[in-house]
Amino acid sequence: MKTKVADILKEHLGENPPINKPKQKEFGHYAVPVFKYAKMNKQNPVEYAKNLCDKLNSCEEFESVEALSGFVNITLSDKFLNEYANRVINEKKDFGKKEDNEKILLEFVSANPTGPLHIGHARGAIFGDAINRIGRHIGKKITTEYYVNDAGRQISLLELSVYLSAREILGLDVEYPEEYYKGEYIKDLAAEAIKEFSEELFRSEYKDNEKLKMWAKDKMLNLIKEDLNSLNVLPFDNWVSEKELYKHWDEVRKILEEHGALYEKEGKIWLKSSEYKDEKDRVVVRENGMPTYLAGDIIYHWDKFKRDFDRYINIWGADHHGYIARVKAAIKFLGFDPEKLEILLSQMVKLLKAGEPYKMSKRAGNFILVRDVTEDVGADALRFVFLTKKADTHLEFDVDDLNKQDSSNPNYYVNYAHARICSIFANANKSYDEMVDVELKDLTADEKDLLFLALQLPFVLEESFINREPHRLTNYLIDLASEFHKFYNKNKVLGDEKEAVRLKILAVVGLIINLGLSLLGIKAKERM
């Protein structure tokens, strides 16, 4: 709708002008500043605005066009609003879809496959999934990817932890090191490992066992996939193995050497990352000749950029902030454009229950598991609250609040608006599709305001994706639910002379809430 208005204005101004929302409702639906165009035409802004209004007054899309202090204020016509209301009813979950050729590789979660997902991982998972859903809806060609850290110390530690736990199950002497993975999930894994590999392996002295290591890693990945599914995260398109990528280290190292990116010092190989905004150079090969964690990241981004996407988006935990400069420096040395890489940070979450810190999971040992929280409040409520704030801000909430059935719980509040509309249509014995034949005319200010807000969804989706801020969609749905509740409490629908018109407006609101929630990965409730 806003795009159509911009196209009409372009015919008169020669380009798409900025279109703003007026500060006050009485000034109309859109406000267009014309100072720039008045200056280009060497006219007074007030006079230019009046002249433009004279030209726009004949547009059937506009009910009124008024000049005010260098602005043109536009109020949309009932006929134009009706056209878009019909689009919503006809297109339903396809409303707002379009084609866009931008190819994006979106990598998120990428938690080490050494245990189930904890609540910190969940925030990045939900954030990334919402970005993916919204982006795909507006036509972006998004490929999602999970980088599996299946090489290095963490996986070796997982194998050792399973080995030691298996020995304990078998009643054998166990000497636990300072650092190892613990919790019920390790015990369960160890019990499975005894059946899979026979007791003899665990009765013998510990030796690095590649089969046990990869078996344990795969089991953990299955747990992670179950957790992601429980959060209603769409399946990843790609799962990329760090272990497999390390086979290309010599090739990548040669490229870095040819580009003068490396030097040797103190028996280590260093990346000259300080040449590209990093605070200091970084080690990529240790004294023992083994590549560092950074080397793995370099190989992975070499592999990513070879695949020739238009943009690469990584969602990392906030504790990885220091890695941004060094990874971008490596990309530059590899001969790629680091500006194509966008790194979004996801902050940690503090959970409370009845005002007290949420208990750590016995199954995990020392952190809060995603599955414990989803069992407590459900995935929809968790997704909603995670998406009410920017991902790079701290989030604290009490899970008991997510079970409240009143307006203090935004997930309940928005879903209640949808369920209420479903109930109204059930009582009217009408369907949304029947509303297409109803003509919207002689709309009151209340009716027009509610309908106009509902029709803003495509604009909200664009802004949410462009700014990587899905909380804009969440907040929009809260606002729309609030406007609906106010409207319904003030205006009679069933049995009123304007019943058909108001039912049509509510059909649009219901469909928009349903679509908006689905793009947040939440299923709209029809009964509550």
Side-chain angles (χ1 to χ4, degrees), residues 97-346:
K97 277 190 175 181
K98 62 180 188 178
E99 287 300 315
D100 188 312
N101 292 322
E102 186 180 24
K103 293 190 301 177
I104 298 171
L105 182 61
L106 174 62
E107 183 236 325
F108 62 107
V109 188
S110 296
N112 290 333
T114 53
L117 293 183
H118 62 62
I119 201 64
H121 298 136
R123 191 174 191 187
I126 291 168
F127 176 50
D129 188 58
I131 291 286
N132 178 37
R133 288 171 184 266
I134 295 169
R136 288 184 177 185
H137 190 83
I138 63 172
K140 304 294 181 182
K141 306 295 187 289
I142 298 179
T143 298
T144 55
E145 191 155 283
Y146 190 115
Y147 179 48
V148 183
N149 299 111
D150 55 359
R153 184 169 172 274
Q154 291 92 345
I155 296 298
S156 295
L157 201 58
L158 173 65
E159 178 208 5
L160 175 62
S161 302
V162 172
Y163 168 84
L164 294 173
S165 184
R167 284 182 63 84
E168 187 175 316
I169 290 170
L170 294 171
L172 303 170
D173 292 336
V174 178
E175 215 174 293
Y176 282 105
E178 276 189 31
E179 189 179 357
Y180 66 99
Y181 296 114
K182 46 189 173 287
E184 293 297 326
Y185 80 96
I186 290 291
K187 291 180 182 177
D188 292 343
L189 197 58
E192 272 194 76
I194 293 169
K195 295 176 184 176
E196 181 74 21
F197 291 91
S198 81
E199 294 183 9
E200 190 56 39
L201 173 64
F202 304 103
R203 293 185 181 278
S204 305
E205 184 181 348
Y206 174 73
K207 289 180 183 176
D208 185 55
N209 187 302
E210 192 65 19
K211 284 186 177 180
L212 175 59
K213 192 182 294 183
M214 291 300 103
W215 177 85
K217 178 263 297 183
D218 289 340
K219 288 288 182 180
M220 289 300 96
L221 271 183
N222 287 337
L223 272 183
I224 288 171
K225 288 175 182 178
E226 288 174 10
D227 287 341
L228 291 170
N229 186 57
S230 75
L231 286 171
N232 200 22
V233 172
L234 293 173
F236 280 84
D237 297 311
N238 299 331
W239 295 77
V240 177
S241 163
E242 179 189 16
K243 188 170 181 286
E244 288 300 308
L245 286 176
Y246 263 117
K247 294 175 183 178
H248 299 285
W249 171 234
D250 289 341
E251 184 181 351
V252 174
R253 179 173 172 174
K254 187 178 178 182
I255 296 169
L256 293 173
E257 288 171 344
E258 288 172 351
H259 291 175
L262 306 177
Y263 65 91
E264 188 171 350
K265 177 185 170 185
E266 301 169 349
K268 306 169 188 173
I269 304 297
W270 300 71
L271 176 73
K272 297 178 184 176
S273 54
S274 61
E275 292 187 11
Y276 294 106
K277 300 180 181 179
D278 196 7
E279 59 187 21
K280 62 182 181 179
D281 293 341
R282 307 288 175 174
V283 177
V284 290
V285 181
R286 303 181 183 91
E287 300 99 318
N288 61 6
M290 295 298 292
T292 61
Y293 183 83
L294 175 59
D297 270 343
I298 294 172
I299 304 165
Y300 179 36
H301 284 85
W302 166 80
D303 177 76
K304 278 186 175 183
F305 275 74
K306 276 201 315 165
R307 288 182 264 160
D308 197 28
F309 285 84
D310 299 311
R311 180 160 294 278
Y312 305 83
I313 300 176
N314 295 353
I315 297 176
W316 290 351
D319 56 333
H320 282 69
H321 181 271
Y323 283 83
I324 296 175
R326 65 193 79 168
V327 168
K328 288 202 169 192
I331 291 167
K332 183 74 174 176
F333 278 123
L334 289 167
F336 300 115
D337 180 5
E339 294 306 308
K340 285 187 173 184
L341 175 64
E342 188 179 334
I343 296 175
L344 310 176
L345 298 176
S346 173

Side-chain angles (χ1 to χ4, degrees), residues 333-492:
F333 278 123
L334 289 167
F336 300 115
D337 180 5
E339 294 306 308
K340 285 187 173 184
L341 175 64
E342 188 179 334
I343 296 175
L344 310 176
L345 298 176
S346 173
Q347 279 286 359
M348 290 300 292
V349 180
K350 183 178 180 182
L351 256 66
L352 304 172
K353 188 172 177 64
E356 299 295 325
Y358 201 95
K359 287 183 181 179
M360 298 292 183
S361 169
K362 290 181 180 179
R363 285 181 283 187
N366 59 352
F367 47 80
I368 300 169
L369 283 181
V370 163
R371 63 187 62 185
D372 289 342
V373 184
T374 54
E375 286 172 7
D376 201 339
V377 299
D380 284 355
L382 190 64
R383 288 184 72 107
F384 200 99
V385 74
F386 274 7
L387 294 170
T388 53
K389 287 192 176 182
K390 289 181 69 173
D392 62 357
T393 59
H394 287 281
L395 179 63
E396 177 179 314
F397 64 92
D398 194 312
V399 295
D400 284 352
D401 290 341
L402 303 186
N403 286 322
K404 288 181 178 177
Q405 297 193 359
D406 57 40
S407 59
S408 69
N409 178 356
N411 178 56
Y412 176 87
Y413 189 62
V414 173
N415 269 289
Y416 181 58
H418 183 264
R420 202 173 191 182
I421 292 170
C422 290
S423 174
I424 292 166
F425 270 83
N427 289 334
N429 196 26
K430 299 280 186 183
S431 69
Y432 290 165
D433 288 337
E434 291 176 67
M435 297 298 106
V436 171
D437 296 328
V438 175
E439 184 184 354
L440 297 180
K441 59 183 179 180
D442 301 325
L443 296 179
T444 65
D446 284 351
E447 291 164 351
K448 193 169 263 191
D449 287 345
L450 179 59
L451 179 57
F452 178 71
L453 180 59
L455 294 173
Q456 296 309 295
L457 180 67
F459 172 72
V460 174
L461 296 180
E462 288 279 348
E463 290 292 297
S464 297
F465 186 80
I466 289 168
N467 294 286
R468 318 299 189 230
E469 294 179 347
H471 73 276
R472 291 179 182 232
L473 173 56
T474 313
N475 293 339
Y476 162 78
L477 291 174
I478 294 170
D479 289 344
L480 182 57
S482 175
E483 287 301 308
F484 159 72
H485 289 304
K486 287 178 192 173
F487 178 87
Y488 188 66
N489 291 334
K490 181 180 176 182
N491 297 282
K492 185 179 180 183

